[in-house]
Amino acid sequence: VIASLRQKGYDGSIVLAGEEPWLPYQRPPLSKKFLAGELPAERLYFKPQEFYATPDIDVRLETRITAVDREQQCVITAAGDRIAYDTLVLATGSRVRRVQVPGNDMDGLHYLRGIDDVLRIRRDLDSARNVVIIGAGYIGLEVAAVTRQLGYDVSVVEMADRVMNRVVSPVVSDFYQAEHAVRGVNLMLSTTLEMIEGESRVNAVRTDGGHSLPADLVIAGIGIVPNTELAASAGLEVNNGIVVDASCRTADPNIYAVGDCTSHPSGIYGRHVRLESVHNALEQAKTAAANICGETIEYSQVPWFWSDQYDLKLQIAGLSEGYDEVVVRGQPAARSFSCLYLRDGVLIACDAINAPRDFVQSKALIAARQRVAPHRLADADVQLKDLA
């Protein structure tokens, strides 16, 4: 938001307050290169420290905001300080969903959401052999890929009967299950975590059926929860996120919200959506900044996401929820293919595995609510851009 405000010519003072001791940083590399030890923390920063070293930017790290006083137009910190605002941007993000089983307070149980989480995981990995991951979503599988490549014995416990079941088709799930299995990852699907075992520190996990799995550390990746409490306590509308309009403005004209914590209208899908992606956070930040600076801009873009696992890049365009037909383009055996999702004959999403051209070209078709005959989508000799 700060960079976008400056690009738009905003020359007023800016206060940045956040709970973490780190400057704003990218989260996707946390479960990939940063976990693998291939990036220093400073390389994750959106902007270097020098960017904030100006008199009109007041950075307050390790500062928790506990309340918003809309009448007085100020926020209140945990220390009792009051920070006045003309315009407030809530970028409160999200927090991890925690496992609710006996033993969930033991040392050795980790979550992965921030830099400090990864630093703790890396310290525990130094003396570990057996890694157990709870959840086979993006985060769980990315962590499984990294730790397996580092030489650990890795098991993944997943309640559903296939990996990434909420976001991809069975074709994609089957492909990734095979890729992880061939590399030695123990995928335990249709399996429920019942207990984390140990004295004060985890040494095993127990699943349904009484099976005990040795674990030197456990990493849980079972989803996130939007941080909406601050907005709700201020009387702002919350419904699976802080509700904003297409300008990223809440019902209070002086308060905007951006990122994982927001529920915004999607013209493409005709409903409010909450997106957990860097692209969404960045584009909403640009939209909010433009409107704060007096422009009238609405945010309406095809969502996109990605996941790196081994030498596989999964790029997702659109939202496949509610699809009624899947078209496979290319051959999974070639380790380069796409799944195209239709609803009532309209293309709504694309999963591209090592197929960047399909990913890029599908976005225009999705944005246009394009109807394309399934047999034409399946023809890999025809570029998707030629079907518009």
Side-chain angles (χ1 to χ4, degrees), residues 361-374:
Q361 294 183 4
S362 69
K363 288 192 282 189
L365 297 178
I366 296 167
R369 306 285 292 157
Q370 186 80 38
R371 287 183 177 274
V372 185

Side-chain angles (χ1 to χ4, degrees), residues 346-388:
V346 175
L347 182 65
I348 60 171
C350 171
D351 293 343
I353 295 89
N354 287 349
R357 188 171 66 182
D358 284 357
F359 165 71
V360 172
Q361 294 183 4
S362 69
K363 288 192 282 189
L365 297 178
I366 296 167
R369 306 285 292 157
Q370 186 80 38
R371 287 183 177 274
V372 185
H375 74 275
R376 300 195 70 199
L377 289 172
D379 187 349
D381 291 331
V382 177
Q383 292 193 41
L384 293 179
K385 67 181 179 65
D386 295 332
L387 301 179

Side-chain angles (χ1 to χ4, degrees), residues 131-135 139-141 143-144 147 154-158 218-221:
V131 176
V132 174
I133 296 163
I134 310 301
I139 295 295
L141 293 185
V143 172
T147 50
V154 179
S155 296
V156 179
V157 177
E158 169 57 51
V218 177
I219 304 169

Side-chain angles (χ1 to χ4, degrees), residues 75-156:
V75 298
I76 303 168
T77 72
D81 297 327
R82 301 175 76 88
I83 306 173
Y85 67 82
D86 295 315
T87 302
L88 174 65
V89 180
L90 297 173
T92 49
S94 51
R95 62 187 182 276
V96 294
R97 194 181 300 278
R98 299 191 172 264
V99 294
Q100 301 297 319
V101 298
N104 64 355
D105 57 347
M106 286 193 189
D107 289 341
L109 170 60
H110 296 276
Y111 299 89
L112 199 161
R113 187 61 185 164
I115 289 176
D116 289 326
D117 295 328
V118 179
L119 294 177
R120 284 189 288 267
I121 291 171
R122 281 162 49 175
R123 283 195 293 270
D124 267 9
L125 284 172
D126 287 342
S127 58
R129 176 182 175 186
N130 297 299
V131 176
V132 174
I133 296 163
I134 310 301
Y138 296 140
I139 295 295
L141 293 185
E142 288 172 0
V143 172
V146 170
T147 50
R148 187 70 193 110
Q149 287 175 301
L150 291 173
Y152 297 94
D153 292 335
V154 179
S155 296
V156 179

Side-chain angles (χ1 to χ4, degrees), residues 51-375:
F51 172 81
Y52 305 94
T54 63
D56 51 5
I57 299 179
D58 179 5
V59 177
R60 305 191 187 189
L61 303 179
E62 298 181 274
T63 299
R64 185 165 65 92
I65 303 300
T66 58
V68 177
D69 185 334
R70 292 168 55 192
E71 184 175 342
Q72 297 297 318
Q73 285 193 217
C74 68
V75 298
I76 303 168
T77 72
D81 297 327
R82 301 175 76 88
I83 306 173
Y85 67 82
D86 295 315
T87 302
L88 174 65
V89 180
L90 297 173
T92 49
S94 51
R95 62 187 182 276
V96 294
R97 194 181 300 278
R98 299 191 172 264
V99 294
Q100 301 297 319
V101 298
N104 64 355
D105 57 347
M106 286 193 189
D107 289 341
L109 170 60
H110 296 276
Y111 299 89
L112 199 161
R113 187 61 185 164
I115 289 176
D116 289 326
D117 295 328
V118 179
L119 294 177
R120 284 189 288 267
I121 291 171
R122 281 162 49 175
R123 283 195 293 270
D124 267 9
L125 284 172
D126 287 342
S127 58
R129 176 182 175 186
N130 297 299
V131 176
V132 174
I133 296 163
I134 310 301
Y138 296 140
I139 295 295
L141 293 185
E142 288 172 0
V143 172
V146 170
T147 50
R148 187 70 193 110
Q149 287 175 301
L150 291 173
Y152 297 94
D153 292 335
V154 179
S155 296
V156 179
V157 177
E158 169 57 51
M159 290 179 61
D161 60 357
R162 59 188 181 88
V163 304
M164 298 187 288
N165 73 303
R166 291 191 305 111
V167 291
V168 301
S169 67
V171 174
V172 178
S173 292
D174 290 347
F175 174 80
Y176 274 90
Q177 284 164 205
E179 290 285 339
H180 281 275
V182 78
R183 289 170 171 82
V185 174
N186 176 26
L187 290 173
M188 303 178 67
L189 305 176
S190 302
T191 302
T192 302
L193 176 69
E194 290 194 342
M195 177 183 292
I196 297 172
E197 300 180 317
E199 296 289 332
S200 60
R201 181 176 181 83
V202 60
N203 60 34
V205 300
R206 184 172 296 275
T207 64
D208 53 350
H211 182 70
S212 185
L213 199 62
D216 298 311
L217 74 159
V218 177
I219 304 169
I222 57 173
I224 62 175
V225 179
N227 292 322
T228 59
E229 291 78 7
L230 192 61
S233 65
L236 299 173
E237 184 181 358
V238 169
N239 184 4
N240 185 34
I242 304 169
V243 177
V244 298
D245 62 17
S247 301
C248 299
R249 185 185 284 111
T250 69
D252 185 324
N254 297 314
I255 301 178
Y256 292 77
V258 300
D260 293 6
C261 64
T262 68
S263 173
H264 70 273
S266 169
I268 295 171
Y269 295 99
R271 67 179 189 273
H272 266 70
V273 297
R274 187 177 66 81
L275 302 175
E276 301 165 6
S277 76
V278 171
H279 168 253
N280 174 68
L282 293 176
E283 293 303 317
Q284 283 195 316
K286 292 176 184 177
T287 301
N291 283 280
I292 290 170
C293 291
E295 299 182 26
T296 302
I297 293 179
E298 295 190 346
Y299 172 51
S300 179
Q301 296 187 23
V302 175
W304 61 268
F305 318 83
W306 83 94
S307 177
D308 293 328
Q309 300 171 39
Y310 309 110
D311 58 342
L312 302 168
K313 180 172 285 290
L314 168 61
Q315 294 171 292
I316 298 176
L319 303 174
S320 61
E321 179 184 356
Y323 71 88
D324 54 32
E325 186 174 3
V326 180
V327 175
V328 179
R329 178 180 170 89
Q331 297 296 326
R335 304 181 79 246
S336 176
F337 69 101
S338 299
C339 282
L340 299 139
Y341 299 84
L342 304 173
R343 184 171 61 227
D344 297 329
V346 175
L347 182 65
I348 60 171
C350 171
D351 293 343
I353 295 89
N354 287 349
R357 188 171 66 182
D358 284 357
F359 165 71
V360 172
Q361 294 183 4
S362 69
K363 288 192 282 189
L365 297 178
I366 296 167
R369 306 285 292 157
Q370 186 80 38
R371 287 183 177 274
V372 185
H375 74 275

